[in-house]
Amino acid sequence: MYSAEKFERFLESVNLSAYREKYRPIKIVEMDLPKEIQAIALLYKIYWDEKRFLEYEDFYKEYLRAYKADIEGFRIKITMCEKCFYRGLPARIYRTWASIITQIHAGYVAESIFGENCVTMSAELDHRGADFQVNYRGHILNYQVKKVSFSREVRQSKKAKKQIKGKFIDIKYDVPSEDYFKTPQKRNGEFKLPYLRFCENKKLKRLTNGFVVFTSCAFEDKKKEIDKILK
């Protein structure tokens, strides 16, 4: 589907290494942000509802405009100096941006498999425990992107805060560190196990700039399963 292809081209155009170098060392604003200044709702609105694929700097400007009063009110409440806060905030929002846009890409890929208008994504669904929801031939599937590092879980599954219809399905986002891609082989020439496992995983692929995204394989089996039941 066009949107999935277009969004993937957008992701691949992002200068990911520059963003990582700029924001990774900055961890000043690490406290929980109140709901009224979280970026999630705006991310879904811009990249999913409106299909405006903005570079991070442009998204951050819109974020500041949308929540300016509440952001400043929060800064004053926590008594953090203005210089420190507005140095740390873009790094904090960037980490949310990078995480959510990969989930949004997964939603576009799911839509390319299940069909147009079969996928729903919103901040409300996110708060209720689903990264996105598929409604296909009467079957409701609530997908959760579960980030893992080798065998260790690094992101717990969201817990539904309100009752939500449908079946929950985890899709694993199992990505080795950047070092494994830079030096995938051992001294003896053999490939390192984390690199091999990633290459063998047909549900994920790595774009040329380092973004790792889901492929259609992450959703095709479930569609075939439903089609077989309703055949």
Side-chain angles (χ1 to χ4, degrees):
M1 189 170 289
Y2 174 69
S3 292
E5 295 175 358
K6 184 177 179 181
F7 199 71
E8 185 166 313
R9 288 197 298 272
F10 157 69
L11 287 184
E12 199 157 28
S13 73
V14 172
N15 191 341
L16 194 59
S17 60
Y19 284 133
R20 285 173 173 168
E21 183 177 351
K22 181 177 181 180
Y23 292 123
R24 183 176 284 171
I26 303 173
K27 295 184 178 179
I28 302 170
V29 181
E30 292 299 299
M31 70 290 292
D32 290 338
L33 299 180
K35 186 177 179 180
E36 58 267 22
I37 66 168
Q38 290 176 8
I40 294 174
L42 189 62
L43 282 162
Y44 288 132
K45 177 185 176 185
I46 289 175
Y47 294 91
W48 180 256
D49 297 335
E50 298 176 353
K51 293 179 171 50
R52 290 192 291 129
F53 304 156
L54 305 180
E55 287 284 346
Y56 174 67
E57 290 88 350
D58 293 326
F59 170 78
Y60 183 69
K61 288 175 185 176
E62 291 212 17
Y63 166 77
L64 287 180
R65 283 197 295 269
Y67 302 117
K68 182 178 181 180
D70 288 326
I71 291 170
E72 182 61 12
F74 176 69
R75 182 193 70 79
I76 294 169
K77 181 179 179 181
I78 63 173
T79 65
M80 183 178 286
C81 78
E82 186 174 358
K83 182 178 179 180
C84 292
F85 183 78
Y86 287 106
R87 179 170 179 261
L89 185 63
R92 169 64 182 272
I93 299 303
Y94 167 74
R95 286 188 275 276
T96 301
W97 179 83
S99 176
I100 295 296
I101 62 173
T102 54
Q103 292 177 193
I104 291 173
H105 175 269
Y108 280 122
V109 175
E111 188 179 56
S112 73
I113 299 302
F114 291 102
E116 193 172 359
N117 300 321
C118 283
V119 177
T120 305
M121 196 181 307
S122 67
E124 176 61 21
L125 270 177
D126 187 277
H127 289 309
R128 295 175 71 186
D131 290 318
F132 56 92
Q133 187 179 79
V134 172
N135 191 334
Y136 178 67
R137 301 184 71 179
H139 288 250
I140 298 176
L141 311 172
N142 299 299
Y143 280 93
Q144 292 182 315
V145 177
K146 184 180 287 186
K147 294 184 179 179
V148 295
S149 177
F150 309 125
S151 61
R152 182 173 65 86
E153 184 76 24
V154 295
R155 181 193 183 212
Q156 297 297 321
S157 297
K158 295 175 183 175
K159 294 181 180 179
K161 297 180 181 179
K162 300 178 182 178
Q163 188 174 4
I164 185 171
K165 292 181 180 179
K167 179 180 179 181
F168 277 82
I169 299 174
D170 291 336
I171 48 176
K172 300 287 184 70
Y173 191 78
D174 189 353
V175 183
S177 69
E178 186 72 12
D179 292 340
Y180 286 108
F181 294 104
K182 291 179 179 177
T183 54
Q185 291 176 289
K186 302 176 185 178
R187 291 182 180 179
N188 63 5
E190 293 180 0
F191 285 100
K192 297 173 183 176
L193 183 58
Y195 177 80
L196 279 177
R197 284 199 304 215
F198 179 82
C199 292
E200 291 168 357
N201 184 355
K202 302 303 180 186
K203 295 181 179 181
L204 293 172
K205 70 175 179 179
R206 188 172 186 268
L207 304 181
T208 56
N209 61 348
F211 258 122
V212 173
V213 298
F214 286 97
T215 70
S216 58
C217 294
F219 308 103
E220 287 171 341
D221 287 346
K222 182 55 65 175
K223 179 180 182 294
K224 290 176 183 176
E225 180 185 316
I226 295 171
D227 287 341
K228 186 176 181 179
I229 293 170
L230 299 177
K231 191 174 181 179

